[in-house]
Amino acid sequence: MIAQIDALIEQSGSPKNPPEAASERTSLAAIIAGSNIPEEQRNVLLGVVVNAMSLQLANMTSAEADVIERCCNEVREHNDYSTNANGARLFDTVLLWLVRFIFNRLELTKGDDPTGTYLFERDDGSLPHEDELQQDFFRWVATYAAGSDLEPTNIASGRADIRLKSGPERLVVEVKREEKDCSFDALFKSYAAQTTDYQNVSIRLGVLLVLDLATPNREGTPHLTSLFEMRHVRRCNESQSRLILIVKVPGRRKRPSDLTKLAKAKRS
């Protein structure tokens, strides 16, 4: 069973890393096997992990895999990822579930999941607050990442939006909404300083999650692969850069059928 899990990990397409991080990944099944769970329960758990992991891999689209590969290639040379097992675990976890979150939110209808209604154009023209995205993503990630908490205080002498923890390390997800310019360059200029300040005492890896309200999606919703970008921040007198994964969540969306109505209205 351990060999099966290790084989699934190898098949996942995860980029190869320096020995420390690679060893952490390939020993995942051994960690489960070496836990304090009674042997008869451990065998059941191993089977569940195999099935859950194989289901994720079997149903992951090439677009999702491309985003994960691109971001991992960008972060793999960073010391807090390549030589810090907790750092790699945190980044990989938040990356995977961010990709799955965006996939989910780009697919589900308002009728089937009313919690995603805030992502669509409203009849009265009002715009949602960033709290709606923050709570939405927290509900999602807390289900998969044990130890996640919402708005913890005393983080960089302030309050963080979402924190994930692994051992002594933490990774903070900063959540914003943007109404004027949601280009990656503009988001970086506006929010990089705050996002990286939450990295002062732990791994220099973080996430900026932005609700894009800048432009009504009158031509349709952006492709998943266009919504993720890694950026480096180099602070004075620091030898190692800080990394931000910027993720945009399209807002003010229209249903596909509404796009047809809009196009016909323009022609008349």
Side-chain angles (χ1 to χ4, degrees):
M1 189 68 76
I2 294 176
Q4 285 180 275
I5 293 180
D6 285 336
L8 282 168
I9 294 171
E10 288 295 322
Q11 294 167 11
S12 68
S14 299
K16 296 186 183 299
N17 294 285
E20 294 86 350
S23 174
E24 179 69 18
R25 282 193 176 84
T26 55
S27 65
L28 174 60
I31 290 174
I32 297 175
S35 68
N36 293 324
I37 300 172
E39 185 172 355
E40 61 275 12
Q41 293 179 347
R42 190 187 312 155
N43 290 335
V44 173
L45 176 61
L46 289 172
V48 169
V49 171
V50 167
N51 284 328
M53 187 174 295
S54 62
L55 181 66
Q56 287 291 336
L57 297 176
N59 292 328
M60 182 173 288
T61 67
S62 60
E64 294 174 278
D66 286 347
V67 171
I68 292 171
E69 181 181 24
R70 173 159 48 90
C71 293
C72 285
N73 285 340
E74 185 76 22
V75 75
R76 65 162 57 176
E77 300 301 328
H78 196 285
N79 285 343
D80 291 344
Y81 182 86
S82 63
T83 65
N84 188 321
N86 286 306
R89 181 183 296 123
L90 284 167
F91 183 84
D92 287 349
T93 297
V94 78
L95 173 61
L96 173 63
W97 296 117
L98 273 167
V99 170
R100 295 300 300 154
F101 174 74
I102 299 299
F103 176 98
N104 177 275
R105 281 304 178 219
L106 293 183
E107 290 283 84
L108 288 181
T109 67
K110 295 185 291 183
D112 288 336
D113 185 1
T115 62
T117 301
Y118 72 97
L119 297 174
F120 290 83
E121 198 81 73
R122 294 173 174 175
D123 293 337
D124 62 3
S126 63
L127 298 176
H129 194 269
E130 64 198 47
D131 286 354
E132 294 185 67
L133 173 58
Q134 178 184 346
Q135 293 164 7
D136 192 18
F137 181 64
F138 177 74
R139 286 192 298 268
W140 176 271
V141 75
T143 302
Y144 302 105
S148 303
D149 50 1
L150 185 66
E151 296 193 343
T153 58
N154 299 313
I155 307 294
S157 300
R159 181 179 63 188
D161 286 335
I162 298 171
R163 175 179 61 183
L164 286 75
K165 296 181 291 184
S166 178
E169 308 293 2
R170 71 174 186 232
L171 185 150
V172 169
V173 179
E174 177 63 19
V175 183
K176 297 292 185 184
R177 76 169 187 172
E178 179 56 43
E179 300 178 48
K180 295 181 179 180
D181 185 349
C182 210
S183 65
F184 284 113
D185 286 342
L187 295 176
F188 181 77
K189 291 176 182 177
S190 296
Y191 306 119
Q194 180 181 355
T195 303
T196 54
D197 226 41
Y198 297 123
Q199 303 172 10
N200 287 338
V201 300
S202 188
I203 57 171
R204 287 155 290 191
L205 308 171
V207 173
L208 173 61
L209 181 63
V210 182
L211 178 57
D212 181 1
L213 303 174
T215 307
N217 289 291
R218 302 193 184 282
E219 296 180 353
T221 303
H223 193 265
L224 183 143
T225 55
S226 69
L227 301 174
F228 294 76
E229 187 163 304
M230 298 287 297
R231 289 294 181 100
H232 293 254
V233 175
R234 177 75 71 172
R235 291 193 173 185
C236 294
N237 302 317
E238 292 188 359
S239 59
Q240 177 70 63
S241 65
R242 304 184 185 208
L243 278 184
I244 304 172
L245 170 59
I246 305 176
V247 183
K248 296 191 283 190
V249 182
R252 304 184 67 181
R253 294 178 57 199
K254 291 184 177 295
R255 297 175 303 171
S257 58
D258 290 334
L259 293 172
T260 296
K261 294 176 184 177
L262 182 63
K264 288 184 175 180
K266 288 181 178 179
R267 292 173 55 188
S268 59

